[in-house]
Structures are given as structure tokens and as C-alpha cells.
């Protein structure tokens, strides 16, 4: 069986070179005589893996020294609680709602304090990003929260909201390392790695040091306190060691590809192929306003549920996997993360053209 083009939203496609390298090291990691998934997280070999991974991520993103990098567990969804537990000193936070994940994060934060939903695009099924240049940011808000790239709806903040001096917290799960980023504009950037960086089970949190304190909400578990993990360099308990090892390999791969500038260029080129076709297609149409389109997740529909189902089925038979859209949008969604090759997007568009000719 040859490899398919995998358009899954996550867990998602990983670079083939990385998978091959991991396969070569599966039984014997660099002369240790064991696999990384068998070795102690306190060993010299693993210490080098996690330290190198952190340094490579710092290099890629230009992470300043006053930010900590934490490799945690519990997925991005656990951060929905961890963020208010650690940051909600005044028990007030502002949330910008641009999709399911921001919605869930806001709902979770309500368990810990007052949540103000200061902007939303729910009125049009999250098909755009609201204007965030002059929002009613609450004077006593501890932070302003966004989901920067919306996996389900295919939208992306091209310009960060004006938080009027408040700390910006961003979930970047589905656009992590897809383009250069100015870390200093955020207090916290975090994301699950299973879309652009590694296997499910790791969440990376990049957090400014002044936000890491012992002053957390009463009852916050030790494991959900950022300081616990920052002080222990992500080794307070056994970390998701094998997942971190794969992330480290992906960081090296991105560096070898030319870093985040090269990634952005590559991602724009891929997305253009698909969006250009959608814009002139008589059968398919994109669901997002042009100026807010994501480079990572591209939802599209025919307008006919039966035809959509037929497309997904025939695409699968043609080796184009996981194109079914999320139930809230319907239709199809192509996730074209960093590791999706240009050829994969071209193959998808060629198939779409053929499908359109046969079904119009």
C-alpha cells in the first residue's frame, strides 16, 4: 500500500523524512540499545532530546528569554481551564468567539470568573473574523483570548486584535509554525501539536515569565499550575516523551526547509492553488470571506449533501483521504498543513476538476 494524501484536520500528515528517521531509530536510538519510548525521562539521552527540541523551537520562533516553553499533556482543551486558573486574578476575561474552540474555551473559563464575549462571528457560521481594531475590552480583564486559526471554519486572524494593553492569549493549534510570529505580542501562545508538529498527546505552551506565579486560583491542582512545570523544565512528571521526540524532529525538518519564512511561502503557494480553483469553479465554492482565509484549513461545499458525500467517497478511492467537512459546516475540508506536499494539493485540484466535469 503506498501512502495516501492525507487531508485530515488532526492528527494529521507528518513529514515523511521524519517518519522514516523515527522508524530507523525505533529499536535503537543512537546506540542506547532501546527505543525513545522505552527510555527514562530522567536519562541523559532524553534530556538531550527535550533540551534540543526547546532550543530549536526558540530558534524557529525567535522566542525571547523571558518566555518559558512548556511541553505539557491534556491537549489544547486542558488549557481552557489551566489559563483561567493561572491568569484570572480579577476573575474577569474577554473572549473573541470565532469558532467552536473559542466557544468551548469561554464556557470553561466561566467556571472560574466572569467571561465577556467582546466579539463574535457566530451570526454567519464563523465564516469571517470580526473587526478587532476597537473592541470594548474590559478595564479589569485579566486577558483577551483568541483562537488564531479556526480549524473547523477555515478562518485566520491576519491581524491580531487590539487588546488595549491587556495580555493576549492565543490558541494556535492549527497554525503553529506555519508562518513567522512575533512572540512578544502575546502573553501566552499554546497549541496541541497533532496538526502541524507531531503526534497527539503533546501541547506546547509558550508563556511570558511574569504570568507564571504561585498566585493561582484556590483549588488549582499542582499539575495544572504553570509554575510546577516551568520550575521542573517540563519534567515534573513523566512527559509525553515519544511525542516530544517527534516534535523535535519536525523542528529540525522545518529548520532544514528554511525556517518559518520558507514555510509561509510554501503554504501560501499550496493554498493559492486550491483557492484559485475554488474561486472559478462552477460546482465547488469556499465558505470563508476572502480576506480571512486560513492557509491551513480550507472548507468548501457543492451545495448538495448527496454530491458532497459522493465526492468524499470517490476522493478516498483516488487516494485523497479525510476530506469530509465538520458537521457544523458540512461539505468538505482540506487541511493542508506544513507537511502536506505541493503535489498533494495539485492532485486534489486535478481530482476536483475531473469531478466537476462529470457531475455538473
Amino acid at each position: 500500500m503506498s501512502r495516501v494524501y492525507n487531508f485530515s484536520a488532526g492528527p494529521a500528515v507528518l513529514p515523511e523524512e521524519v517518519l522514516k528517521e523515527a522508524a530507523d531509530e525505533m529499536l535503537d536510538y543512537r546506540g542506547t540499545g532501546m527505543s525513545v519510548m522505552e527510555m527514562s525521562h530522567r536519562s541523559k539521552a532524553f534530556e538531550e532530546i527535550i533540551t534540543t527540541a526547546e532550543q530549536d523551537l526558540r530558534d524557529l520562533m525567535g522566542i525571547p528569554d523571558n518566555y518559558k516553553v512548556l511541553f505539557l499533556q491534556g491537549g489544547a482543551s486542558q488549557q481552557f481551564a489551566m489559563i483561567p486558573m493561572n491568569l484570572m486574578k480579577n476573575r474577569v476575561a474577554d473572549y473573541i468567539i470565532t469558532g467552536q474552540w473559542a466557544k468551548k474555551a469561554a464556557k470553561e473559563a466561566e467556571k472560574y470568573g466572569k467571561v465577556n464575549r467582546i466579539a463574535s462571528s457566530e451570526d454567519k457560521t464563523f465564516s469571517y473574523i470580526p473587526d478587532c481594531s476597537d473592541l470594548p475590552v474590559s478595564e479589569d480583564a485579566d486577558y483577551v483570548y483568541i483562537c488564531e486559526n479556526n480549524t473547523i471554519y477555515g478562518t485566520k486572524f491576519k491581524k491580531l486584535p487590539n487588546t488595549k494593553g491587556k495580555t493576549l492569549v492565543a490558541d494556535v493549534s492549527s497554525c503553529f509554525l506555519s508562518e513567522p510570529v512575533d512572540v512578544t505580542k502575546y502573553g501566552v501562545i499554546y497549541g496541541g501539536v497533532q496538526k502541524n508538529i507531531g503526534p497527539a498527546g503533546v501541547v506546547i505552551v509558550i508563556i511570558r515569565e511574569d504570568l507564571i506565579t504561585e498566585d493561582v486560583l484556590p483549588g488549582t491542582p499542582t499539575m495544572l499550575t504553570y509554575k510546577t512545570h516551568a520550575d521542573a523544565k517540563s519534567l515534573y512528571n513523566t512527559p509525553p516523551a515519544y511525542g516530544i521526540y517527534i516534535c523535535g524532529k519536525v523542528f529540525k525538518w522545518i529548520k532544514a526547509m528554511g525556517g518559518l519564512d520558507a514555510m509561509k511561502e510554501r503554504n501560501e503557494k499550496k493554498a493559492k492553488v486550491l483557492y484559485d480553483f475554488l474561486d472559478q469553479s462552477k460546482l465547488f465554492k469556499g465558505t470563508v470571506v476572502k480576506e480571512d482565509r486560513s492557509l491551513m484549513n480550507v472548507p468548501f461545499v457543492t451545495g448538495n449533501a448527496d454530491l458532497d458525500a459522493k465526492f468524499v467517497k470517490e476522493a478516498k478511492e483516488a487516494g485523497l483521504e479525510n476530506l469530509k467537512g465538520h458537521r457544523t459546516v458540512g461539505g468538505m475540508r482540506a487541511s493542508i498543513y506544513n507537511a502536506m506536499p505541493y503535489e498533494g494539493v495539485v492532485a486534489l485540484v486535478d481530482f476536483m476538476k475531473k469531478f466537476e466535469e462529470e457531475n455538473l
Side-chain angles (χ1 to χ4, degrees), residues 197-233:
I197 304 173
V202 184
V203 60
I204 296 173
V205 177
I206 300 159
I207 177 169
R208 210 172 58 226
E209 278 175 349
D210 61 288
L211 299 171
I212 303 170
T213 65
E214 280 168 354
D215 174 24
V216 296
L217 297 189
T220 298
T222 306
M223 275 296 288
L224 296 187
T225 303
Y226 288 127
K227 194 171 186 338
T228 301
H229 301 286
D231 289 352
K233 296 188 163 63

Side-chain angles (χ1 to χ4, degrees), residues 276-289:
D276 281 357
F277 172 69
L278 286 172
D279 287 343
Q280 59 85 53
S281 170
K282 292 182 177 63
L283 181 63
F284 300 99
K285 69 172 200 320
T287 58
V288 173
V289 302

Side-chain angles (χ1 to χ4, degrees), residues 230-267:
D231 289 352
K233 296 188 163 63
S234 301
L235 296 171
Y236 174 75
N237 69 329
T238 311
Y242 196 79
I244 293 167
Y245 154 77
I246 300 289
C247 292
K249 288 204 176 302
V250 172
F251 301 153
K252 290 263 186 246
W253 176 78
I254 295 173
K255 275 185 153 180
M257 299 291 284
L260 297 190
D261 286 313
M263 276 297 139
K264 184 178 189 197
E265 199 177 310
R266 179 184 150 104
N267 290 328

Side-chain angles (χ1 to χ4, degrees), residues 189-201:
I189 307 182
Y190 78 90
V193 304
Q194 70 277 11
K195 297 166 188 295
N196 238 352
I197 304 173

Side-chain angles (χ1 to χ4, degrees), residues 98-99 125-129 148-158 174 275 286-300 326 329 333-335:
T98 51
T125 324
F126 302 118
S127 58
Y128 70 103
I129 297 289
E148 195 164 320
N149 185 91
N150 297 283
T151 322
I152 294 172
Y153 301 97
T155 57
K156 164 84 164 68
F157 279 85
K158 301 290 166 74
S174 53
Y275 285 127
T287 58
V288 173
V289 302
K290 277 189 186 182
E291 59 272 23
D292 297 330
R293 284 171 167 175
S294 165
L295 294 178
M296 299 283 100
N297 311 99
V298 186
F300 55 96
H326 190 272
V329 182
R333 170 181 51 179
S335 292

Side-chain angles (χ1 to χ4, degrees), residues 163-212:
T163 63
K164 303 188 177 171
K166 299 294 179 188
T167 297
L168 178 64
V169 175
D171 173 354
V172 298
S173 295
S174 53
C175 59
F176 224 154
L177 300 184
S178 61
E179 58 183 26
V181 59
D182 179 356
V183 176
T184 63
K185 289 184 172 164
Y186 307 79
V188 180
I189 307 182
Y190 78 90
V193 304
Q194 70 277 11
K195 297 166 188 295
N196 238 352
I197 304 173
V202 184
V203 60
I204 296 173
V205 177
I206 300 159
I207 177 169
R208 210 172 58 226
E209 278 175 349
D210 61 288
L211 299 171
I212 303 170

Side-chain angles (χ1 to χ4, degrees), residues 15-30 242 245-246 248-250 252-253:
E16 236 169 84
E17 298 94 311
V18 166
L19 297 175
K20 282 178 177 154
E21 225 177 86
D24 288 344
E25 293 174 346
M26 181 55 85
L27 294 176
D28 176 13
Y29 176 74
R30 302 195 178 168
Y242 196 79
Y245 154 77
I246 300 289
K249 288 204 176 302
V250 172
K252 290 263 186 246
W253 176 78

Side-chain angles (χ1 to χ4, degrees), residues 76-94:
S77 297
Q78 187 160 288
Q79 294 303 310
F80 299 170
M82 208 163 165
I83 286 158
M85 282 175 168
N86 285 266
L87 304 188
M88 243 193 197
K89 315 290 187 208
N90 299 325
R91 304 267 184 155
V92 181
D94 288 355

